[in-house]
mmCIF file of all heavy atoms in Angstrom:
data_model
loop_
_atom_site.group_PDB
_atom_site.id
_atom_site.type_symbol
_atom_site.label_atom_id
_atom_site.label_comp_id
_atom_site.label_asym_id
_atom_site.label_seq_id
_atom_site.Cartn_x
_atom_site.Cartn_y
_atom_site.Cartn_z
ATOM 1 N N ARG A 201 -23.471 -11.172 24.789
ATOM 2 C CA ARG A 201 -22.170 -11.815 24.649
ATOM 3 C C ARG A 201 -21.108 -10.828 24.833
ATOM 4 O O ARG A 201 -21.183 -9.683 24.422
ATOM 5 C CB ARG A 201 -22.080 -12.462 23.287
ATOM 6 C CG ARG A 201 -20.778 -13.133 22.991
ATOM 7 C CD ARG A 201 -20.829 -14.024 21.754
ATOM 8 N NE ARG A 201 -21.183 -13.215 20.597
ATOM 9 C CZ ARG A 201 -20.315 -12.622 19.822
ATOM 10 N NH1 ARG A 201 -19.030 -12.721 20.104
ATOM 11 N NH2 ARG A 201 -20.697 -11.901 18.783
ATOM 12 N N THR A 232 -12.616 -13.580 26.370
ATOM 13 C CA THR A 232 -12.186 -14.600 25.437
ATOM 14 C C THR A 232 -13.319 -14.776 24.385
ATOM 15 O O THR A 232 -14.455 -15.066 24.818
ATOM 16 C CB THR A 232 -11.856 -15.885 26.107
ATOM 17 O OG1 THR A 232 -10.800 -15.645 27.038
ATOM 18 C CG2 THR A 232 -11.375 -16.961 25.098
ATOM 19 N N PRO A 233 -13.075 -14.594 23.119
ATOM 20 C CA PRO A 233 -14.135 -14.771 22.186
ATOM 21 C C PRO A 233 -14.853 -16.159 22.320
ATOM 22 O O PRO A 233 -14.162 -17.194 22.543
ATOM 23 C CB PRO A 233 -13.411 -14.666 20.844
ATOM 24 C CG PRO A 233 -12.254 -13.848 21.105
ATOM 25 C CD PRO A 233 -11.793 -14.249 22.508
ATOM 26 N N GLN A 234 -16.145 -16.154 22.149
ATOM 27 C CA GLN A 234 -16.917 -17.390 22.256
ATOM 28 C C GLN A 234 -17.216 -17.887 20.821
ATOM 29 O O GLN A 234 -16.833 -17.296 19.823
ATOM 30 C CB GLN A 234 -18.203 -17.064 23.002
ATOM 31 C CG GLN A 234 -17.923 -16.561 24.441
ATOM 32 C CD GLN A 234 -19.221 -16.245 25.156
ATOM 33 O OE1 GLN A 234 -20.226 -16.910 24.964
ATOM 34 N NE2 GLN A 234 -19.178 -15.281 26.025
ATOM 35 N N HIS A 235 -17.937 -18.982 20.800
ATOM 36 C CA HIS A 235 -18.346 -19.641 19.531
ATOM 37 C C HIS A 235 -17.142 -19.911 18.654
ATOM 38 O O HIS A 235 -17.085 -19.593 17.490
ATOM 39 C CB HIS A 235 -19.303 -18.714 18.843
ATOM 40 C CG HIS A 235 -20.480 -18.381 19.610
ATOM 41 N ND1 HIS A 235 -21.424 -19.260 20.017
ATOM 42 C CD2 HIS A 235 -20.852 -17.147 20.176
ATOM 43 C CE1 HIS A 235 -22.376 -18.585 20.720
ATOM 44 N NE2 HIS A 235 -22.033 -17.360 20.862
ATOM 45 N N SER A 236 -16.113 -20.552 19.239
ATOM 46 C CA SER A 236 -14.937 -20.877 18.489
ATOM 47 C C SER A 236 -15.075 -22.270 17.956
ATOM 48 O O SER A 236 -15.723 -23.141 18.529
ATOM 49 C CB SER A 236 -13.692 -20.745 19.345
ATOM 50 O OG SER A 236 -13.640 -21.712 20.392
ATOM 51 N N TYR A 237 -14.391 -22.516 16.892
ATOM 52 C CA TYR A 237 -14.402 -23.859 16.223
ATOM 53 C C TYR A 237 -13.163 -23.913 15.333
ATOM 54 O O TYR A 237 -12.381 -22.957 15.181
ATOM 55 C CB TYR A 237 -15.700 -24.050 15.402
ATOM 56 C CG TYR A 237 -16.107 -22.859 14.581
ATOM 57 C CD1 TYR A 237 -15.699 -22.678 13.286
ATOM 58 C CD2 TYR A 237 -16.960 -21.887 15.169
ATOM 59 C CE1 TYR A 237 -16.117 -21.540 12.596
ATOM 60 C CE2 TYR A 237 -17.382 -20.768 14.465
ATOM 61 C CZ TYR A 237 -16.904 -20.613 13.178
ATOM 62 O OH TYR A 237 -17.282 -19.520 12.434
ATOM 63 N N THR A 238 -12.916 -25.063 14.758
ATOM 64 C CA THR A 238 -11.783 -25.310 13.956
ATOM 65 C C THR A 238 -12.183 -25.112 12.461
ATOM 66 O O THR A 238 -13.159 -25.664 12.039
ATOM 67 C CB THR A 238 -11.140 -26.655 14.177
ATOM 68 O OG1 THR A 238 -10.793 -26.782 15.533
ATOM 69 C CG2 THR A 238 -9.914 -26.870 13.309
ATOM 70 N N ASP A 239 -11.354 -24.327 11.681
ATOM 71 C CA ASP A 239 -11.724 -24.120 10.303
ATOM 72 C C ASP A 239 -11.083 -25.187 9.457
ATOM 73 O O ASP A 239 -10.452 -26.134 9.905
ATOM 74 C CB ASP A 239 -11.351 -22.716 9.867
ATOM 75 C CG ASP A 239 -9.895 -22.539 9.525
ATOM 76 O OD1 ASP A 239 -9.081 -23.425 9.897
ATOM 77 O OD2 ASP A 239 -9.525 -21.532 8.902
ATOM 78 N N LEU A 243 -7.088 -24.254 11.899
ATOM 79 C CA LEU A 243 -6.924 -23.107 12.746
ATOM 80 C C LEU A 243 -8.178 -22.791 13.605
ATOM 81 O O LEU A 243 -9.255 -23.073 13.178
ATOM 82 C CB LEU A 243 -6.452 -21.857 11.990
ATOM 83 C CG LEU A 243 -5.169 -21.984 11.151
ATOM 84 C CD1 LEU A 243 -4.943 -20.663 10.439
ATOM 85 C CD2 LEU A 243 -4.022 -22.227 12.069
ATOM 86 N N LYS A 244 -7.980 -22.166 14.757
ATOM 87 C CA LYS A 244 -9.112 -21.715 15.542
ATOM 88 C C LYS A 244 -9.805 -20.588 14.865
ATOM 89 O O LYS A 244 -9.203 -19.629 14.479
ATOM 90 C CB LYS A 244 -8.622 -21.282 16.950
ATOM 91 C CG LYS A 244 -8.463 -22.415 17.892
ATOM 92 C CD LYS A 244 -9.833 -22.815 18.541
ATOM 93 C CE LYS A 244 -9.629 -23.714 19.697
ATOM 94 N NZ LYS A 244 -10.930 -24.100 20.294
ATOM 95 N N ALA A 245 -11.114 -20.712 14.751
ATOM 96 C CA ALA A 245 -11.929 -19.629 14.122
ATOM 97 C C ALA A 245 -12.899 -19.138 15.119
ATOM 98 O O ALA A 245 -13.342 -19.808 15.995
ATOM 99 C CB ALA A 245 -12.651 -20.202 12.909
ATOM 100 N N TYR A 246 -13.143 -17.775 15.035
ATOM 101 C CA TYR A 246 -13.962 -17.093 16.045
ATOM 102 C C TYR A 246 -15.008 -16.250 15.367
ATOM 103 O O TYR A 246 -14.741 -15.712 14.297
ATOM 104 C CB TYR A 246 -13.129 -16.230 16.994
ATOM 105 C CG TYR A 246 -12.042 -17.049 17.706
ATOM 106 C CD1 TYR A 246 -10.773 -17.219 17.124
ATOM 107 C CD2 TYR A 246 -12.304 -17.542 18.989
ATOM 108 C CE1 TYR A 246 -9.809 -17.924 17.836
ATOM 109 C CE2 TYR A 246 -11.302 -18.269 19.642
ATOM 110 C CZ TYR A 246 -10.032 -18.481 19.070
ATOM 111 O OH TYR A 246 -9.106 -19.120 19.750
ATOM 112 N N ASP A 247 -16.151 -16.063 16.103
ATOM 113 C CA ASP A 247 -17.157 -15.084 15.591
ATOM 114 C C ASP A 247 -16.806 -13.682 16.078
ATOM 115 O O ASP A 247 -17.403 -12.707 15.614
ATOM 116 C CB ASP A 247 -18.513 -15.455 16.124
ATOM 117 C CG ASP A 247 -19.005 -16.729 15.538
ATOM 118 O OD1 ASP A 247 -18.663 -17.060 14.432
ATOM 119 O OD2 ASP A 247 -19.809 -17.446 16.219
ATOM 120 N N ASP A 248 -15.800 -13.613 17.016
ATOM 121 C CA ASP A 248 -15.494 -12.290 17.622
ATOM 122 C C ASP A 248 -13.981 -12.092 17.360
ATOM 123 O O ASP A 248 -13.238 -13.029 17.515
ATOM 124 C CB ASP A 248 -15.750 -12.343 19.102
ATOM 125 C CG ASP A 248 -15.592 -11.056 19.795
ATOM 126 O OD1 ASP A 248 -14.887 -10.153 19.305
ATOM 127 O OD2 ASP A 248 -16.126 -10.881 20.953
ATOM 128 N N PHE A 251 -9.881 -10.013 21.762
ATOM 129 C CA PHE A 251 -9.432 -10.904 22.817
ATOM 130 C C PHE A 251 -9.067 -10.023 24.063
ATOM 131 O O PHE A 251 -9.094 -8.817 23.983
ATOM 132 C CB PHE A 251 -8.163 -11.680 22.395
ATOM 133 C CG PHE A 251 -8.408 -12.778 21.363
ATOM 134 C CD1 PHE A 251 -8.776 -12.446 20.074
ATOM 135 C CD2 PHE A 251 -8.291 -14.092 21.778
ATOM 136 C CE1 PHE A 251 -8.988 -13.435 19.161
ATOM 137 C CE2 PHE A 251 -8.550 -15.109 20.818
ATOM 138 C CZ PHE A 251 -8.851 -14.752 19.541
ATOM 139 N N ASN A 259 -4.787 -13.165 19.228
ATOM 140 C CA ASN A 259 -4.255 -13.554 20.511
ATOM 141 C C ASN A 259 -2.753 -13.556 20.607
ATOM 142 O O ASN A 259 -2.189 -13.703 21.760
ATOM 143 C CB ASN A 259 -4.894 -14.932 20.948
ATOM 144 C CG ASN A 259 -4.435 -16.068 20.084
ATOM 145 O OD1 ASN A 259 -3.461 -15.914 19.283
ATOM 146 N ND2 ASN A 259 -5.114 -17.153 20.122
ATOM 147 N N VAL A 264 -5.071 -16.558 13.907
ATOM 148 C CA VAL A 264 -6.479 -16.503 14.352
ATOM 149 C C VAL A 264 -7.350 -16.253 13.120
ATOM 150 O O VAL A 264 -6.950 -15.370 12.288
ATOM 151 C CB VAL A 264 -6.680 -15.449 15.410
ATOM 152 C CG1 VAL A 264 -8.143 -15.123 15.577
ATOM 153 C CG2 VAL A 264 -6.070 -15.899 16.748
ATOM 154 N N VAL A 265 -8.454 -16.898 12.987
ATOM 155 C CA VAL A 265 -9.353 -16.704 11.880
ATOM 156 C C VAL A 265 -10.667 -16.063 12.424
ATOM 157 O O VAL A 265 -11.287 -16.673 13.381
ATOM 158 C CB VAL A 265 -9.676 -18.028 11.196
ATOM 159 C CG1 VAL A 265 -10.680 -17.827 10.023
ATOM 160 C CG2 VAL A 265 -8.373 -18.696 10.681
ATOM 161 N N PHE A 266 -11.060 -15.030 11.830
ATOM 162 C CA PHE A 266 -12.319 -14.350 12.246
ATOM 163 C C PHE A 266 -13.345 -14.633 11.158
ATOM 164 O O PHE A 266 -13.192 -14.428 10.017
ATOM 165 C CB PHE A 266 -12.096 -12.839 12.316
ATOM 166 C CG PHE A 266 -13.339 -11.993 12.437
ATOM 167 C CD1 PHE A 266 -14.189 -12.219 13.524
ATOM 168 C CD2 PHE A 266 -13.652 -11.051 11.531
ATOM 169 C CE1 PHE A 266 -15.349 -11.434 13.624
ATOM 170 C CE2 PHE A 266 -14.730 -10.252 11.631
ATOM 171 C CZ PHE A 266 -15.648 -10.467 12.678
ATOM 172 N N LYS A 267 -14.472 -15.165 11.617
ATOM 173 C CA LYS A 267 -15.525 -15.623 10.693
ATOM 174 C C LYS A 267 -16.888 -14.956 10.901
ATOM 175 O O LYS A 267 -17.909 -15.347 10.301
ATOM 176 C CB LYS A 267 -15.730 -17.148 10.745
ATOM 177 C CG LYS A 267 -14.485 -17.876 10.518
ATOM 178 C CD LYS A 267 -14.693 -19.362 10.098
ATOM 179 C CE LYS A 267 -14.994 -19.516 8.705
ATOM 180 N NZ LYS A 267 -14.982 -20.965 8.241
ATOM 181 N N GLY A 268 -16.906 -13.961 11.781
ATOM 182 C CA GLY A 268 -18.190 -13.292 12.108
ATOM 183 C C GLY A 268 -18.328 -11.993 11.401
ATOM 184 O O GLY A 268 -17.770 -11.705 10.387
#
Side-chain angles (χ1 to χ4, degrees):
R201 180 168 57 89
T232 300
Q234 300 178 33
H235 306 291
S236 66
Y237 42 91
T238 302
D239 79 347
L243 298 179
K244 275 279 193 179
Y246 302 89
D247 293 332
D248 188 339
F251 288 70
N259 63 17
V264 165
V265 180
F266 170 59
K267 303 197 84 169

